[in-house]
Amino acid sequence: MDPNEFGTSTVPLQHAPYGPITEENLKGANKGKVAVVTGAAQGIGAGIAESLAKSGANVAILDLSVEKQAKTKEACEAQGVKVGVYACDVTDQEKVVATIDKIEQELGPIDILVNNAGILDQRPLIMSTFDSFWKQIEVNFKGPLLTIHTMLPRFRDRGAGCIINIASRSATVDVPMTLGYVTSKAALTRATHTLQREMALDGLDPAICLYALHPGGVLTGMGGTGAGQDVLDKYGDVRDEKFFMDLFKDPPALCGQTCAWLASGQGKELRGLFIDCRQDVTRLLEKGRDALLKEKRNVLTVNFLDGYANEP
């Protein structure tokens, strides 16, 4: 992989909470709301849960085990909000529905859903088992769609809801050895665009808002990992994520505070779009929703030769 292949921003990127998304500006912005965060045991998910708690939301945190979420629970409770901790495999439909039911019984109706749980197996498909490849599709795409499918009827009945899908810049680029990851994140991003249009069909736009959010370069158990030794032995210098450790310079709070800002309703004009949390949301809002949609900004698209169009 060569990062230069994808371009370099000429506008400075944000690498810490800024302006409208700071804790001070979002204090109480989500007071009384109930937020669900999947994959919340550590890293980005933990940062999202804590930011939502700081903005006043009561938080339900989910991961494969309750024990691994102890630190996240403690950090959220320190903000004076209610916190529920739940063990849930997001690829198991019965478990997802039962967990959502339990959350609403214990914390109240859910207002915010953040689909963060994800996995990465950095191997070329030809050296991977199909089960390993498909597991990434299940966790990264099926999981969010199961939680969304469970929540949408409830949001419809209440006439409001916010869904934030933690996507990735990987949804927009071709990176060898990450087929399961880039495919699942592209699918999740496309689903976000399409589901927002479905909300419009049912008269639920903008009452129900969906967003696809790139969390930035966060050094977690997944971000910055390297390929296996057998891959290195076969291909040599593969320029994997570990090679580009200097790109991982964003704290979980940058994504977390962006989620809290979106959940507050201040980013409704960006609903249905792909957002990079390093890019100042003020600039996007200044561009305007109509212009963003007309110019196909912040959506997955294909550019053809001049004169050709993506005809039906």
Side-chain angles (χ1 to χ4, degrees):
M1 182 183 78
D2 179 4
N4 294 321
E5 173 188 348
F6 309 118
T8 302
S9 297
T10 57
V11 177
L13 297 177
Q14 302 287 352
H15 297 294
Y18 59 92
I21 71 165
T22 60
E23 291 180 23
E24 295 75 17
N25 283 335
L26 290 175
K27 187 175 182 180
N30 293 305
K31 186 175 181 179
K33 296 180 182 179
V34 175
V36 173
V37 183
T38 69
Q42 59 186 351
I44 295 169
I48 293 169
E50 186 172 359
S51 287
L52 285 165
K54 287 179 178 179
S55 71
N58 299 314
V59 184
I61 53 177
L62 280 63
D63 216 298
L64 289 174
S65 76
V66 168
E67 293 74 21
K68 291 182 179 180
Q69 301 180 76
K71 288 185 178 179
T72 306
K73 181 176 184 289
E74 182 179 354
C76 292
E77 287 180 333
Q79 307 307 318
V81 300
K82 296 178 182 177
V83 183
V85 182
Y86 305 87
C88 182
D89 178 352
V90 294
T91 69
D92 183 328
Q93 185 172 15
E94 289 187 4
K95 186 65 174 177
V96 167
V97 173
T99 301
I100 293 295
D101 286 342
K102 187 175 182 182
I103 291 169
E104 297 208 315
Q105 290 168 6
E106 295 180 351
L107 296 181
I110 295 166
D111 304 284
I112 304 156
L113 169 64
V114 184
N115 286 308
N116 168 73
I119 58 173
L120 165 66
D121 183 17
Q122 198 167 192
R123 303 178 67 80
L125 181 65
I126 200 169
M127 293 184 69
S128 178
T129 65
F130 189 82
D131 285 346
S132 177
F133 161 75
W134 196 250
K135 182 66 174 178
Q136 295 171 82
I137 307 297
E138 295 241 315
V139 175
N140 300 350
F141 183 56
K142 177 185 176 182
L145 267 292
L146 280 178
T147 59
I148 292 171
H149 187 264
T150 304
M151 285 307 310
L152 276 182
R154 306 174 195 222
F155 284 164
R156 175 198 60 206
D157 293 345
R158 296 167 199 153
C162 174
I163 299 171
I164 303 170
N165 295 318
I166 302 303
S168 171
R169 65 178 296 282
S170 297
T172 68
V173 296
D174 302 322
V175 182
M177 302 193 306
T178 64
L179 184 64
Y181 191 75
V182 299
T183 301
S184 58
K185 292 301 185 179
L188 185 58
T189 301
R190 175 60 69 200
T192 303
H193 302 331
T194 302
L195 283 167
Q196 192 65 58
R197 291 198 171 198
E198 290 190 3
M199 295 304 97
L201 288 178
D202 284 328
L204 295 169
D205 176 85
I208 298 177
C209 296
L210 296 97
Y211 308 92
L213 181 65
H214 170 49
V218 183
L219 189 60
T220 64
M222 184 168 62
T225 56
Q229 188 59 50
D230 58 337
V231 175
L232 298 176
D233 290 343
K234 180 175 178 60
Y235 294 103
D237 179 8
V238 293
R239 297 294 178 98
D240 56 13
E241 290 199 351
K242 187 176 181 180
F243 185 89
F244 295 105
M245 288 287 285
D246 60 311
L247 299 180
F248 295 89
K249 53 189 175 184
D250 302 315
L254 178 60
C255 177
Q257 290 298 121
T258 304
C259 286
W261 180 80
L262 290 171
S264 74
Q266 298 178 59
K268 279 192 174 184
E269 290 298 288
L270 306 178
R271 64 191 183 278
L273 300 179
F274 174 89
I275 305 166
D276 183 335
C277 73
R278 302 169 301 175
Q279 298 176 6
D280 196 316
V281 293
T282 304
R283 290 179 60 87
L284 290 172
L285 293 177
E286 287 175 348
K287 179 71 175 179
R289 180 172 181 79
D290 290 344
L292 289 170
L293 293 176
K294 182 178 180 180
E295 298 174 17
K296 298 190 185 324
R297 305 280 185 180
N298 293 74
V299 296
L300 296 184
T301 188
V302 174
N303 296 319
F304 293 98
L305 289 173
D306 290 344
Y308 288 116
N310 195 20
E311 291 194 27

